[in-house]
Amino acid sequence: MARVVEDEGIWSDRDLTEALFGDTDRPGLDEQPSKTNVEDCEASGGLNCTSEGLTKALQSVASLQLWNLMGFSLPVPSLFTRESSSLKSSDVYCEESEVKREDAMEVSSPQETYVAQFESEYINHSVPLYQEFWMSSMKKDLHRVQHTGLSEFVSSIRVSGLKTPPASSPSSVLSPPGLQAKSYTLWHQLPQVKPHLNSLSMHEIQLQEAMFELIVSEASYQKSLIVALNVFQCSAELKGILPRVQHHVLFSNLKDVCRVSERFLQDMESHFRQYVVMSRAGDIVLNHQQRFQKVYVPYITNMMYQEALVAQLTQENKKFALILKKLEGDPQCQRQTLKSFLILPFQRITRMTLLLENILKRAECVCSNVPNLMEAIGAVRKIVEECDRNVEQMKRTELLVCLDKLMDFGNVKSVPLITRGRHLIQEGTFKHLMIGGSQRGSTVSRRDVYIHLFNDLLLLSVKSGNRFVVQDHAPFPDKVSVKELETSLGFPPESFLLDLIKNYNQSSRGLILAASTRLEKETWMKAFSSK
């Protein structure tokens, strides 16, 4: 079997941002913007710049049942809107030397196969695919919601340990959470373990089962990753119909994730062979911390584009849809979809925290020493948090790309919207109240004005269709202030004074604006007052 060449590289957040828009460390507000190369952006009103956390942002692709039950969703980025027939190489964050800018189709080549460098003795027919392991665990957590409440369940996905209910039989106590009915071997059933059982208490055996679950679940994970690589990523049919860049976006650095999993599993099994009664799970996780971080952070960061590309190709590319249906019917997939394979790294890194916390819980019950276990839990949490930050940053950057394409500065001095560190705080429509006077008395005219409030910039625009014709702008918060209006002046209670201390032409300007409701006014006054 031919050995597949490793992925051309691992994408970073900076690589993506620079590939999308060039160097985002752009000049200040007084300099001219440069054009972006993302086209066909949707109206900004359809995008949500507020992060709901990594779990809500990405869990949605795990299963359709959980999508509906938990309400997780991920907006499809405008890089992959229907109007765009294919993903441009300038729209993804990979180094130009690694993924050339080309839309030409690759010529079909003989089927390649991913060859594992380490073959786990636990990757066999009795070990389920990781999708089944993860789904069983999730169903157990969902069932617990009925007794403990939704807030605890949502917390448990992120950081809380598994709470196994009291069991009526030893087998249910010793089985991994959610997998009591599975036939694969448990720690206490292994031949090499039998001589040690009489010298261990039930709680000590439970601790060993918890550590052994880390091994068996990683073997299950490894088994699913290999299927994902051999059936989907190495598919000559998929390579034959997809541009190279799209293929890279679709699978990202999945091979690297698989290699890291393989090394981690090898170290865990080596420790078990050397010490049947294990104690170094924390040490081994810490030894792999940097490898985990190097592969999981870019993979999970890329997932928002990965999911969007799958949706686009499924809807627009009939050949892709037919080939995908054929591949998903492969017996190796066990009726699992491509999406369920692509979500695997996210599921694994988040579930690993729970597995480690379960080990900690068991260790505390017997006052057993598992070195560096707390540090290992903290290390995995930091990786998840970094993924969370990166996903949030990508969503913010995606929104800036869309807004940049929708802004028309006209005669107003333009500013570059796509700047590192900038994000949208709030946007909405107000009534601009303008007072006019004549011999017969004063009159008040009203005109709609649209505000985009960024963390460092305020834009005043008039909406024209899906575009925004910019009327004025000023740095925020230094050159922007708001004031309440005296009710005795006759203005509606929803109105307030917006003062641009120094606008785009270095002059000051005051505007009387009216929100739709008092609550909306209070929300905006709070946003304007934030520093």
Side-chain angles (χ1 to χ4, degrees):
M1 293 184 292
R3 179 160 297 174
V4 177
V5 177
E6 297 293 333
D7 276 342
E8 288 86 345
I10 299 177
W11 304 344
S12 67
D13 179 41
R14 179 175 178 84
D15 293 335
L16 173 55
T17 306
E18 292 181 354
L20 280 171
F21 336 107
D23 188 357
T24 55
D25 292 323
R26 296 194 179 185
L29 299 180
D30 295 334
E31 298 188 26
Q32 296 293 325
S34 57
K35 295 182 179 180
T36 62
N37 40 29
V38 178
E39 299 179 355
D40 302 317
C41 290
E42 297 176 355
S44 61
L47 293 170
N48 181 5
C49 67
T50 304
S51 172
E52 295 181 5
L54 178 63
T55 302
K56 285 191 177 181
L58 299 177
Q59 194 101 32
S60 58
V61 295
S63 84
L64 288 174
Q65 295 94 328
L66 290 182
W67 289 352
N68 298 331
L69 179 60
M70 298 161 61
F72 294 157
S73 62
L74 181 62
V76 177
S78 62
L79 293 181
F80 306 100
T81 53
R82 290 189 177 186
E83 289 80 3
S84 176
S85 60
S86 64
L87 175 67
K88 296 181 180 180
S89 58
S90 57
D91 291 340
V92 294
Y93 61 120
C94 45
E95 295 182 9
E96 185 176 356
S97 61
E98 296 171 344
V99 180
K100 296 181 179 179
R101 299 188 174 186
E102 56 177 319
D103 287 330
M105 298 293 183
E106 286 191 342
V107 179
S108 297
S109 57
Q111 183 78 35
E112 296 175 319
T113 304
Y114 177 87
V115 180
Q117 296 176 353
F118 166 74
E119 295 185 8
S120 169
E121 60 183 288
Y122 301 106
I123 300 180
N124 50 54
H125 68 280
S126 67
V127 175
L129 291 178
Y130 192 71
Q131 290 95 321
E132 188 175 343
F133 166 84
W134 187 87
M135 188 58 67
S136 298
S137 299
M138 289 297 296
K139 286 180 179 178
K140 186 178 181 66
D141 290 339
L142 288 170
H143 178 73
R144 180 158 48 87
V145 173
Q146 299 175 5
H147 306 285
T148 59
L150 182 61
S151 59
E152 182 178 340
F153 165 68
V154 174
S155 176
S156 72
I157 294 177
R158 299 292 298 272
V159 293
S160 297
L162 295 174
K163 295 185 177 180
T164 306
S168 58
S169 66
S171 62
S172 61
V173 171
L174 299 174
S175 297
L179 292 176
Q180 288 85 350
K182 297 306 172 186
S183 60
Y184 64 81
T185 305
L186 299 172
W187 182 84
H188 74 283
Q189 296 173 333
L190 298 172
Q192 60 268 47
V193 170
K194 299 294 184 181
H196 300 272
L197 290 178
N198 292 333
S199 62
L200 298 174
S201 68
M202 178 63 72
H203 289 298
E204 288 173 327
I205 294 175
Q206 289 176 358
L207 172 60
Q208 292 303 310
E209 292 289 0
M211 282 191 278
F212 189 66
E213 183 187 356
L214 194 60
I215 295 177
V216 176
S217 62
E218 191 72 29
S220 171
Y221 174 55
Q222 179 72 195
K223 180 177 181 178
S224 288
L225 288 178
I226 292 174
V227 172
L229 293 174
N230 284 334
V231 174
F232 296 102
Q233 182 168 353
C234 294
S235 168
E237 290 179 287
L238 276 185
K239 290 181 178 180
I241 65 166
L242 294 180
R244 189 179 181 191
V245 171
Q246 285 191 346
H247 191 272
H248 199 106
V249 170
L250 196 59
F251 297 103
S252 191
N253 59 321
L254 192 60
K255 286 194 184 80
D256 299 300
V257 173
C258 190
R259 290 296 186 205
V260 168
S261 170
E262 188 179 302
R263 293 170 189 169
F264 175 67
L265 181 59
Q266 182 177 11
D267 285 355
M268 286 295 298
E269 290 191 26
S270 176
H271 173 53
F272 173 63
R273 283 192 295 271
Q274 187 174 2
Y275 305 99
V276 176
V277 179
M278 297 175 286
S279 63
R280 293 189 56 245
D283 291 339
I284 296 173
V285 171
L286 279 181
N287 289 341
H288 287 264
Q289 175 188 359
Q290 292 184 351
R291 296 187 184 95
F292 287 155
Q293 184 176 24
K294 185 178 180 181
V295 298
Y296 281 104
V297 171
Y299 185 91
I300 293 175
T301 301
N302 180 65
M303 282 177 60
M304 61 182 288
Y305 295 97
Q306 187 182 60
E307 182 192 4
L309 181 57
V310 172
Q312 176 194 318
L313 291 172
T314 303
Q315 294 174 11
E316 301 176 6
N317 191 324
K318 292 183 179 180
K319 288 184 178 180
F320 175 83
L322 290 173
I323 292 174
L324 183 60
K325 184 177 180 179
K326 174 185 174 183
L327 296 177
E328 289 177 343
D330 190 301
Q332 297 179 74
C333 296
Q334 299 180 27
R335 294 181 294 181
Q336 299 290 343
T337 65
L338 172 62
K339 282 187 177 182
S340 76
F341 285 99
L342 296 180
I343 194 69
L344 289 172
F346 168 71
Q347 291 175 333
R348 183 55 182 171
I349 196 66
T350 53
R351 181 58 65 173
M352 185 177 291
T353 306
L354 304 179
L355 295 174
L356 292 173
E357 288 185 340
N358 195 37
I359 295 173
L360 178 63
K361 177 183 175 182
R362 303 299 185 187
E364 289 174 343
C365 289
V366 294
C367 300
S368 180
N369 181 32
V370 182
N372 294 318
L373 187 56
M374 287 295 296
E375 290 83 354
I377 294 172
V380 177
R381 281 181 181 171
K382 287 181 179 179
I383 294 173
V384 175
E385 290 168 0
E386 184 176 354
C387 293
D388 196 359
R389 289 192 300 270
N390 281 18
V391 170
E392 168 68 6
Q393 181 58 44
M394 292 310 301
K395 290 168 66 179
R396 289 176 171 180
T397 303
E398 173 68 15
L399 180 55
L400 289 179
V401 173
C402 288
L403 290 177
D404 186 71
K405 303 301 293 182
L406 298 173
M407 292 295 169
D408 180 4
F409 284 87
N411 296 325
V412 175
K413 188 174 183 179
S414 62
V415 294
L417 284 189
I418 307 168
T419 300
R420 189 177 300 278
R422 175 173 294 159
H423 63 272
L424 183 68
I425 297 176
Q426 208 159 302
E427 61 178 317
T429 303
F430 293 85
K431 293 293 183 182
H432 179 198
L433 308 182
M434 294 170 287
I435 304 174
S438 65
Q439 294 180 349
R440 296 181 180 180
S442 61
T443 60
V444 177
S445 61
R446 302 166 183 264
R447 188 179 70 167
D448 286 342
V449 62
Y450 203 94
I451 292 182
H452 288 93
L453 182 64
F454 300 90
N455 60 315
D456 62 349
L457 175 68
L458 180 142
L459 287 181
L460 290 172
S461 311
V462 174
K463 197 168 183 179
S464 177
N466 286 334
R467 297 188 63 78
F468 300 92
V469 181
V470 180
Q471 306 294 306
D472 210 339
H473 57 76
F476 177 82
D478 297 339
K479 305 302 179 183
V480 177
S481 66
V482 289
K483 298 177 183 177
E484 292 278 2
L485 291 174
E486 294 288 341
T487 56
S488 60
L489 297 176
F491 293 108
E494 298 83 13
S495 60
F496 59 93
L497 176 65
L498 175 64
D499 189 14
L500 306 186
I501 302 171
K502 184 180 290 187
N503 66 357
Y504 76 94
N505 61 5
Q506 307 301 308
S507 60
S508 61
R509 180 186 180 188
L511 300 91
I512 299 175
L513 301 178
S516 299
T517 64
R518 292 191 182 186
L519 179 60
E520 184 182 18
K521 172 191 170 181
E522 293 173 2
T523 302
W524 276 92
M525 292 289 284
K526 183 178 180 180
F528 280 125
S529 301
S530 65
K531 302 299 181 182

